[in-house]
Amino acid sequence: MGTLQPQKNNLPDNLRGKKVVLVNHSDTLGGAAIVTFRLMQALRKEGVDARMVVYTKTSSEENISNISSRFVRGLAFCMERLKLIMANGFNYNDLFKISSGDFALNVHHHPWVKEADIVCLNWFNQGLLSVKGIHKLHRMGKKIIWTMHDMWAMTGICHHSYECSYFLDNCGNCQFLAGGGKPNDLSKKIWEKKYKLYREVPITFVAVSSWLEHRARQSSLLRNCAVMTIHNPFPVEQFYTSPSKLIYSIETPTKPNMILFGAARLDDPIKGLNYAIEALNYIFDNYPDIASETAVYLFGSMKHPEMLDNLRMSHRWLGMVNDFKILRYLYSTAKVVLSTSLYETLGGTLVEGQAGGALPVTFGGDGREDVVEHLKTGYIAGYKDTKDIANGIIWAIKSKISRESLHKSVEDRFSAPVIAHKYIKLFSDIID
């Protein structure tokens, strides 16, 4: 990746000459990293002097810089995790569902941050930035925007509360801590630090979906703060709605109906692969005419690939797919893009699926409802209702909705220029 210089020069007058730094744990590793990288590039195309400061840099982009040495970064990460390990009773299954906001390197000393007028916080846990570090940014005179990619800003320590509603009050008795936590446990103490932070430091919070904004407005921490929704940016213009050429590195589907299911890790319990398998098996058992003409393609890593032995419908697991050309080809070939996650703050594969002309079939009740309009641009099934997912798949396979209209529906809402302009307006609004 080369360096992308600021291009257009049609910014609001009060943004000319201003510098913006986006802070994220990585530049390319993880969903938050990818969309933050895209946002930086989109902002630069619109003329914003935007750069990224990260904990882990994997790209060659010159407008991205990491902080400190690998050894010091690793030490900060280990110290932050050690506190959590002891607090949760050495339960490694829940270790990465929580973060403390302590023992971080912080970014205030980085020269790009010192020069910046606006600092956009994204996903910064696990050693990059602490609650104290945000106080330091404020004391330096920085305008602070916090883009929330999960619920951590509005809870004590968890990245998603699942069925827990303590974040509506003041946390404590945390389900992810040893013995179910205590009234004054680590989650309550970090909640108190955040409460103090939000009372003392003006922060504009950006949710990536309407569902996440609604949760923030319900929460005890953010209900009196400035919160708005701006979706993540996607390279919608780079997707096409019919395969333009054969991709020789994958086996071309021979059946007329392809269902696509993808995730960074397919068998992460939160992705609900078992619900997808149950729904697909229901179709296989009860609609053999549809099943015989349908193949399921899955992409993403798996710790337990034997899970797919339970899937009776014709299927192929592609493993990790990092080649964007292959992903575009898959989406342009698929009839259905399937998501049975227990929750999604937005639902990136559904946006990408629509950009490629595939109809989303998914559970709702979260950020995915910003992507899918039921029976118009996809199908929203009842939560954890596998028969309804099966009904949705059958509806999508039989649907005559044009692939081009699906592409247009996300282009108008999620394309990088559209999202960049929304951030530019926000920057202009908060600059004195």
Side-chain angles (χ1 to χ4, degrees):
M1 297 179 195
T3 301
L4 181 65
Q5 298 298 329
Q7 296 179 19
K8 297 180 183 178
N9 194 27
N10 55 355
L11 297 175
D13 289 341
N14 66 341
L15 287 186
R16 296 183 187 278
K18 303 297 184 182
K19 296 180 182 294
V20 177
V21 166
L22 294 85
V23 176
N24 197 74
H25 196 269
S26 174
D27 54 349
T28 62
L29 302 176
I34 292 169
V35 295
T36 304
F37 194 167
R38 286 178 189 157
L39 176 59
M40 181 201 71
Q41 292 178 312
L43 290 170
R44 293 188 71 82
K45 285 183 178 179
E46 299 300 325
V48 177
D49 186 353
R51 293 185 280 189
M52 278 181 73
V53 171
V54 300
Y55 179 97
T56 301
K57 178 181 177 180
T58 60
S59 73
S60 59
E61 170 63 61
E62 292 182 14
N63 294 308
I64 299 174
S65 175
N66 57 12
I67 61 171
S68 195
S69 67
R70 183 174 181 178
F71 172 78
V72 174
R73 296 198 308 271
L75 183 62
F77 171 85
C78 291
M79 290 295 292
E80 193 262 353
R81 291 292 103 180
L82 180 61
K83 183 174 184 176
L84 295 172
I85 289 171
M86 293 188 292
N88 77 349
F90 295 88
N91 179 3
Y92 290 90
N93 291 330
D94 291 338
L95 180 58
F96 290 95
K97 295 176 181 177
I98 54 178
S99 293
S100 68
D102 284 336
F103 298 110
L105 294 171
N106 295 315
V107 298
H108 61 280
H109 57 274
H110 194 285
W112 291 358
V113 175
K114 291 178 180 179
E115 297 172 356
D117 301 282
I118 301 171
V119 177
C120 297
L121 308 180
N122 286 268
W123 205 97
F124 55 79
N125 295 112
Q126 300 178 9
L128 178 58
L129 183 64
S130 69
V131 172
K132 288 183 179 179
I134 301 174
H135 279 283
K136 292 177 180 177
L137 293 173
H138 171 61
R139 288 195 290 269
M140 295 169 67
K142 309 304 176 185
K143 300 293 185 181
I144 301 174
I145 295 169
W146 185 338
T147 298
M148 301 179 290
H149 298 274
D150 57 29
M151 290 182 63
W152 190 79
M154 66 191 80
T155 69
I157 58 175
C158 70
H159 291 279
H160 193 279
S161 66
Y162 294 80
E163 307 302 322
C164 174
S165 61
Y166 286 137
F167 77 100
L168 302 176
D169 188 11
N170 57 19
C171 286
N173 298 302
C174 181
Q175 62 184 320
F176 298 117
L177 299 181
K182 298 177 181 178
N184 197 36
D185 60 19
L186 181 64
S187 71
K188 176 63 176 298
K189 292 174 182 176
I190 302 301
W191 181 94
E192 290 171 344
K193 288 185 179 181
K194 291 178 182 176
Y195 184 78
K196 182 175 185 291
L197 170 72
Y198 301 159
R199 286 173 67 90
E200 296 177 355
V201 177
I203 301 172
T204 302
F205 292 89
V206 175
V208 299
S209 67
S210 303
W211 168 81
L212 195 60
E213 178 184 344
H214 178 67
R215 287 220 142 184
R217 293 187 181 279
Q218 289 181 311
S219 72
S220 55
L221 285 173
L222 298 185
R223 64 169 60 111
N224 295 317
C225 297
V227 184
M228 62 189 300
T229 296
I230 302 178
H231 295 129
N232 290 326
F234 290 85
V236 177
E237 74 286 351
Q238 297 180 34
F239 287 85
Y240 44 79
T241 56
S242 59
S244 62
K245 61 180 179 179
L246 183 65
I247 301 294
Y248 291 98
S249 56
I250 65 170
E251 178 184 327
T252 304
T254 57
K255 301 194 175 191
N257 303 319
M258 190 226 279
I259 299 171
L260 195 60
F261 187 106
R265 183 188 151 203
L266 285 169
D267 55 351
D268 183 335
I270 204 68
K271 296 303 178 183
L273 177 59
N274 54 317
Y275 294 99
I277 290 173
E278 186 175 332
L280 293 165
N281 284 343
Y282 181 84
I283 294 173
F284 182 85
D285 294 338
N286 295 279
Y287 299 90
D289 54 331
I290 293 176
S292 65
E293 296 188 337
T294 303
V296 183
Y297 275 53
L298 307 100
F299 65 88
S301 67
M302 294 191 76
K303 289 185 178 179
H304 305 286
E306 64 273 11
M307 280 186 69
L308 297 179
D309 294 342
N310 299 319
L311 178 54
R312 294 190 287 278
M313 190 177 288
S314 174
H315 64 276
R316 182 160 185 233
W317 172 43
L318 302 173
M320 285 297 296
V321 177
N322 296 315
D323 189 330
F324 185 62
K325 295 191 298 294
I326 294 177
L327 285 176
R328 286 190 303 178
Y329 175 80
L330 290 170
Y331 284 123
S332 69
T333 306
K335 181 71 175 179
V336 179
V337 56
L338 179 61
S339 169
T340 49
S341 295
L342 301 186
Y343 84 91
E344 292 284 353
T345 51
L346 186 62
T349 60
L350 302 183
V351 177
E352 293 171 348
Q354 283 184 325
L359 274 164
V361 176
T362 184
F363 296 139
D366 55 23
R368 288 170 286 189
E369 295 195 5
D370 279 13
V371 182
V372 181
E373 187 175 0
H374 186 54
L375 299 181
K376 292 185 178 180
T377 60
Y379 191 99
I380 298 177
Y383 190 59
K384 295 185 179 180
D385 187 339
T386 54
K387 287 187 179 179
D388 202 14
I389 285 287
N391 290 336
I393 292 170
I394 293 169
W395 170 85
I397 287 174
K398 293 180 177 180
S399 173
K400 302 301 182 183
I401 296 172
S402 75
R403 302 183 72 93
E404 290 73 20
S405 68
L406 290 171
H407 178 94
K408 181 65 175 173
S409 75
V410 290
E411 182 179 46
D412 293 342
R413 293 175 293 144
F414 298 100
S415 65
V418 168
I419 302 305
H421 287 145
K422 290 184 178 182
Y423 270 98
I424 288 169
K425 182 181 185 304
L426 174 56
F427 296 161
S428 180
D429 288 343
I430 65 173
I431 285 289
D432 296 328

